[in-house]
Amino acid sequence: MLKDTFATAITCIDGRVQRPVTDWVKLHVNVDHVDLITEPGPDKVFSSGPRPVIEDMMRKVAFSVQHHFSKVVIVSGHDTCAANPATREEHVEQIKDSVEKILEYRLNVRVLGLWVSEWGSVELLYDSQPTERTHSFL
């Protein structure tokens, strides 16, 4: 019997980004399900705190990894974020910082950083396990 496969995505609570992220992850990471951890402006939170919120998100990530055996953790930022009204360039830096902070937890998972445009298109910005087609920071 085959087991269902999972990934874990940390996204904004903004409902406009959740479906594009989960659809992208299912297609590109080849998983059956995506556990969602939502927080207003998670890329900003990872970048600048507050620390208790980061710890709470990571507690949930660890739960998903431990109980659903997620092998990939995704963090995303998006255009027109009410909680993080930064420029795209600022979001890209925050997403990079977010991925690096998640890697510090040493969960033995692949970590991806995604950007969601105002039209819902998803762009891979970072992959902690790059392939020949993907570079570390794009």
Side-chain angles (χ1 to χ4, degrees), residues 28-133:
H28 294 283
V29 180
N30 194 26
V31 294
D32 299 312
H33 308 286
V34 181
D35 287 345
L36 287 176
I37 297 163
T38 63
E39 182 68 34
D43 51 341
K44 180 179 180 181
V45 173
F46 273 110
S47 237
S48 58
R51 189 80 185 151
V53 178
I54 295 170
E55 292 296 328
D56 186 54
M57 286 190 292
M58 290 308 299
R59 180 184 56 76
K60 294 171 186 173
V61 168
F63 183 91
S64 177
V65 169
Q66 189 173 44
H67 294 283
H68 289 160
F69 309 104
S70 289
K71 296 295 182 200
V72 181
V73 174
I74 299 95
V75 63
S76 63
H78 71 99
D79 197 30
T80 65
C81 180
N84 186 10
T87 66
R88 182 187 188 283
E89 292 75 24
E90 290 170 314
H91 277 283
V92 168
E93 282 304 310
Q94 292 169 347
I95 292 166
K96 177 183 171 184
D97 290 346
S98 300
V99 170
E100 290 172 352
K101 286 200 173 130
I102 293 166
L103 287 169
E104 289 174 6
Y105 282 83
R106 303 195 190 299
L107 296 171
N108 197 30
V109 295
R110 178 180 179 194
V111 182
L112 305 178
L114 302 180
W115 169 253
V116 182
S117 77
E118 64 184 305
W119 304 284
S121 62
V122 177
E123 178 184 353
L124 176 65
L125 299 176
Y126 181 83
D127 185 342
S128 68
Q129 295 176 357
T131 63
E132 290 180 23
R133 295 182 344 191

